[in-house]
Amino acid sequence: MQKFLSIPVTNEQNQLVSCNDIKLIEVGDGSGSNPTTTTTLFYGGGKKVTLTHAAVSAGSEEMRDAIQDGVVQVLKQQWTEVVLQMGSLPKAVSGIAIA
């Protein structure tokens, strides 16, 4: 069963991000760039989803922790509950990119 986080994006409607086959959630975009304004989810098969958000303090992992906690929570839900609303993230998300 597929599971998703519903993430509010500034000036857009909520976007669904898959929680299945995530291998790593990391601060930054995976290239060493943007460590305070991006959080990236890496999937099996080499795909990644990068969340761009308001800046966090250098060294802060509050966004990574919030996304990770959401993934754990949605995966523990009953199989009929496929979406978790992520209404209270530490920083506002301004964009979601898939690569």
Side-chain angles (χ1 to χ4, degrees), residues 24-32 38-42 61 64:
L24 177 69
I25 302 172
E26 181 175 72
V27 173
D29 61 11
S31 68
T38 58
T39 301
T40 304
L41 293 79
F42 295 90
E61 303 213 0
R64 181 197 64 90

Side-chain angles (χ1 to χ4, degrees), residues 51-96:
L51 309 176
T52 301
H53 49 75
V56 297
S57 302
S60 171
E61 303 213 0
E62 65 182 332
M63 282 297 287
R64 181 197 64 90
D65 292 346
I67 297 298
Q68 181 172 284
D69 291 347
V71 169
V72 169
Q73 186 175 345
V74 75
L75 292 175
K76 289 175 19 178
Q77 291 181 165
Q78 294 182 3
W79 71 273
T80 56
E81 298 175 32
V82 298
V83 176
L84 177 68
Q85 300 292 329
M86 297 294 294
S88 60
L89 288 170
K91 300 292 180 181
V93 174
S94 59
I96 299 177

Side-chain angles (χ1 to χ4, degrees), residues 5-9 12-16 83-87 96:
L5 297 179
S6 179
I7 299 176
V9 179
E12 295 182 28
Q13 295 181 356
N14 284 20
Q15 302 293 313
L16 293 179
V83 176
L84 177 68
Q85 300 292 329
M86 297 294 294
I96 299 177

